[in-house]
Amino acid sequence: FEAIPHSRVTHVDLPDPEVTGVTWEKGRVAIGIPRDGYIQVAQLGPKGADDAVRARGLDAFRADAAQLFPEAAAGVTGIGSTADVKHLDVRLDRLRRWHAPGVLCIGDAAHAMSPVGGVGINLAVQDAVAAARILAPLLRSGGASGRAEARALARIQRRRMVPTVVIQGMQRILHAALIMPTIRGRDLRPPSWVVKVVRRVPWLSALPALAVGVGPRPERAPRWARRPS
Ligand SMILES: Cc1cc2nc3c(=O)[nH]c(=O)nc-3n(C[C@H](O)[C@H](O)[C@H](O)COP(=O)(O)OP(=O)(O)OC[C@H]3O[C@@H](n4cnc5c(N)ncnc54)[C@H](O)[C@@H]3O)c2cc1C
């Protein structure tokens, strides 16, 4: 992973848009992610907004993007057509049953995650670690069929359902309390008392990172699956 070009965030100061890469105007919010040699900009919108954005045409889109995200203004001419603008539909749902004989759904296949909190990838990787840990002994012993298989698959679902429900619940709350009001025009800044408390007790800002990085049910790869260090 270290070899892949990436940007490193060491701390986030919420009220400062230059650090967070988040800009907003009444009802319009954009998030900028510095990539290798370019800035990736995501503009948030309610369901169905994509058609309206495309209907206004490329020039209006470029002007909007430049106004909303001035750091990217020089690059907007590089957007050659509205086909270059990708629409990512956010869904937040889950299967009732994650498995059938010979099949196990994990990650977004079992529970589609919203980008809120940047946590979906962690959850998917943790699902994979749990699945590997529980299934490997069964596969090795050649017993991966019939009841033993069904029990193992159900165990994986039971284990991973709890963090899925907790994290999707948090995402739903953030959608309702933060994202939708912001899209409707509310100020994105956190309440001033939150900013004051975090400034006084800086380690509090590590809690969201811990919640995202480790989550409510951490998974550890079994020893046999680790590379010798
Ligand atoms: C707009 C948006 C932004 C997001 N941002 C973040 C973020 O910043 N951080 C974060 O943690 N989460 C983010 N998420 C959530 C995150 O993307 C998912 O939770 C995560 O990618 C799930 O991983 P996955 O491996 O289960 O599925 P995916 O990452 O969707 O991987 C599935 C793979 O299967 C491939 N595939 C599909 N069909 C077939 C087929 N028939 N044959 C072969 N291959 C196939 C797909 O091409 C894809 O590569 C975001 C989600 C959205 C919608």
Side-chain angles (χ1 to χ4, degrees), residues 38-119:
Y38 65 99
I39 302 176
Q40 183 177 5
V41 179
Q43 187 174 339
L44 310 190
K47 293 267 179 212
D50 182 52
D51 289 344
V53 167
R54 286 174 200 277
R56 291 182 59 222
L58 186 61
D59 287 339
F61 179 81
R62 283 180 178 155
D64 273 0
Q67 189 190 10
L68 193 57
F69 219 92
E71 295 92 321
V76 294
T77 47
I79 307 169
S81 85
T82 47
D84 290 343
V85 180
K86 305 297 175 202
H87 172 227
L88 296 172
D89 190 23
V90 173
R91 296 173 60 177
L92 189 54
D93 53 24
R94 58 182 177 264
L95 297 178
R96 267 193 291 276
R97 191 179 157 93
W98 297 8
H99 56 91
V103 179
L104 171 67
C105 296
I106 56 172
D108 270 26
H111 46 77
M113 304 301 292
S114 144
V116 169
V119 72

Side-chain angles (χ1 to χ4, degrees), residues 17-187:
E18 277 175 29
V19 179
T20 56
V22 178
T23 66
W24 72 97
E25 285 179 2
K26 281 260 170 251
R28 296 192 310 159
V29 188
I31 298 168
I33 305 169
R35 302 288 189 195
D36 200 22
Y38 65 99
I39 302 176
Q40 183 177 5
V41 179
Q43 187 174 339
L44 310 190
K47 293 267 179 212
D50 182 52
D51 289 344
V53 167
R54 286 174 200 277
R56 291 182 59 222
L58 186 61
D59 287 339
F61 179 81
R62 283 180 178 155
D64 273 0
Q67 189 190 10
L68 193 57
F69 219 92
E71 295 92 321
V76 294
T77 47
I79 307 169
S81 85
T82 47
D84 290 343
V85 180
K86 305 297 175 202
H87 172 227
L88 296 172
D89 190 23
V90 173
R91 296 173 60 177
L92 189 54
D93 53 24
R94 58 182 177 264
L95 297 178
R96 267 193 291 276
R97 191 179 157 93
W98 297 8
H99 56 91
V103 179
L104 171 67
C105 296
I106 56 172
D108 270 26
H111 46 77
M113 304 301 292
S114 144
V116 169
V119 72
I121 294 169
N122 275 15
L123 210 61
V125 170
Q126 288 179 329
D127 286 358
V129 173
R133 190 171 46 73
I134 291 171
L135 288 179
L138 200 67
L139 292 166
R140 275 188 174 154
S141 68
S145 62
R147 276 206 198 150
E149 179 203 291
R151 268 201 303 274
L153 297 179
R155 202 178 134 209
I156 296 166
Q157 175 174 349
R158 271 200 309 280
R159 181 171 175 87
R160 298 304 307 159
M161 187 60 99
V162 174
T164 301
V165 170
V166 171
I167 290 174
Q168 286 190 328
M170 281 167 49
Q171 291 191 320
R172 282 212 170 82
I173 292 171
L174 288 169
H175 276 203
L178 185 71
I179 305 294
M180 291 317 293
T182 307
I183 288 173
R184 290 193 198 109
R186 208 188 70 182
D187 200 328

